[in-house]
Amino acid sequence: MNLGRSPGELREAALEARVRAPLRRRYKIGVLGKGGVGKTTVAASVGSLFAELLQDDRVVAIDADTAFGKLGARIDPSHVCSYWDLVDDPHLDRFADVRRWLGTNAAGLFVLPGEASGAARPRVLDPAIYREAASHLDRHFLISIIDCGSTLNSPVTEEVLVDLDALIVVSSLWVDAVSAAGQILEWLANRGLTRLLARTVVVLNDSDGYADQQTRAALVEQFKSRGQVVIEVPFDAHLRPGGVIAGSLDLGAATRRCFLQVAAAITDHFSSTAVRA
């Protein structure tokens, strides 16, 4: 007997429908957090979900971590090009021209990596290079996920914040990480970025599986009292080793559902943003 979809399946379908809402322009999502909280994992996972569910639109993840970020390794470790290869190309008229400098995973998420830490002469990303590369990508991608460094006052992070439509702040369930996430929210408020703060989703990422339920509930309430959307992501052994995130099918069912909630919450914020010229 076919009883139809379960309540859980219906809720998941409703979340997917929210993520698939038509996009009216391009959107940029920043990801911030203290080092070691799973910030890059969240960026790659949420980006992969967007890419899977919006197959008619292009989604790119951009590594804007000046401390030699790992975003490229989490999405397409075989890809060896970076910002400098892209901006040095004088012929970037078509998507195919840009595509050759980007990596991609099985979900269809493209990635622009930063400089590899093992490079013979590593180059440090600066605001001008970031802006030039982003301007090329803006012509071809409707959603950009920008994985920022952990230093808030970095010139590159400052440049990223200029035109974000939404923000994901990532924290683990440890006190120092929660304190750092709170400081990020306060920093945004003190800089007058209240509109971006209103479009910020806090992700509490259980990166080791040791947090007890009482602690989790207290932390959720702490951020909700600030007026933020708060989503818990459970411990997932698939994500712990720091390997490749090929798509959401690599995630546990509960983990995928939570990242789907993050993507849906971000999409809801898209509808509240004014049309950019």
Side-chain angles (χ1 to χ4, degrees):
M1 181 181 296
N2 184 0
L3 299 178
R5 290 187 290 182
S6 69
E9 290 172 330
L10 290 172
R11 286 192 294 271
E12 193 159 324
L15 289 169
E16 291 183 356
R18 284 163 61 189
V19 176
R20 288 190 173 110
L23 298 175
R24 301 185 181 278
R25 59 173 177 82
R26 59 177 173 79
Y27 295 91
K28 293 188 174 183
I29 307 161
V31 186
L32 284 172
K34 179 179 179 291
V37 299
K39 173 177 60 65
T40 297
T41 296
V42 170
S45 299
V46 172
S48 293
L49 266 172
F50 272 118
E52 286 178 2
L53 296 174
L54 298 172
Q55 294 186 8
D56 292 335
D57 301 308
R58 299 189 186 115
V59 183
V60 64
I62 303 172
D63 194 337
D65 188 341
T66 55
F68 305 111
K70 304 295 185 184
L71 185 64
R74 300 304 305 273
I75 297 173
D76 186 355
S78 67
H79 183 71
V80 296
C81 300
S82 66
Y83 278 86
W84 290 268
D85 300 293
L86 177 68
V87 300
D88 287 344
D89 187 340
H91 305 293
L92 295 174
D93 301 318
R94 303 169 303 158
F95 174 67
D97 301 326
V98 173
R99 167 68 184 86
R100 66 191 295 250
W101 303 119
L102 306 177
T104 188
N105 68 3
L109 174 65
F110 292 90
V111 62
L112 177 64
E115 184 79 299
S117 59
R121 297 176 123 185
R123 295 160 291 191
V124 177
L125 182 64
D126 62 49
I129 293 293
Y130 166 79
R131 176 52 56 194
E132 185 175 354
S135 67
H136 290 302
L137 298 178
D138 286 347
R139 296 170 53 197
H140 301 284
F141 291 91
L142 279 186
I143 292 182
S144 299
I145 312 282
I146 302 116
D147 185 18
C148 301
S150 57
T151 304
L152 289 177
N153 59 357
S154 158
V156 174
T157 298
E158 297 264 8
E159 186 65 31
V160 171
L161 288 169
V162 167
D163 57 358
L164 288 184
D165 298 287
L167 181 66
I168 300 171
V169 173
V170 184
S171 173
S172 71
L173 295 171
W174 294 99
V175 173
D176 60 338
V178 170
S179 175
Q183 290 171 6
I184 291 173
L185 300 179
E186 292 172 5
W187 184 79
L188 293 170
N190 292 337
R191 290 178 57 84
L193 297 172
T194 52
R195 293 181 64 185
L196 181 58
L197 193 58
R199 301 192 297 272
T200 295
V201 175
V202 174
V203 172
L204 297 178
N205 180 41
D206 188 356
S207 57
D208 50 34
Y210 292 126
D212 61 80
Q213 190 55 45
Q214 184 176 358
T215 300
R216 299 168 75 98
L219 295 178
V220 169
E221 186 56 38
Q222 176 179 328
F223 285 108
K224 281 187 175 179
S225 68
R226 298 170 176 261
Q228 306 303 141
V229 174
V230 184
I231 297 168
E232 295 180 76
V233 174
F235 173 73
D236 190 326
H238 294 88
L239 298 177
R240 182 61 178 150
V244 177
I245 298 173
S248 70
L249 294 180
D250 288 346
L251 309 176
T255 307
R256 183 185 186 277
R257 187 161 49 250
C258 291
F259 280 131
L260 191 55
Q261 291 174 351
V262 175
I266 290 295
T267 305
D268 292 343
H269 289 319
F270 288 169
S271 64
S272 69
T273 56
V275 175
R276 182 186 297 141

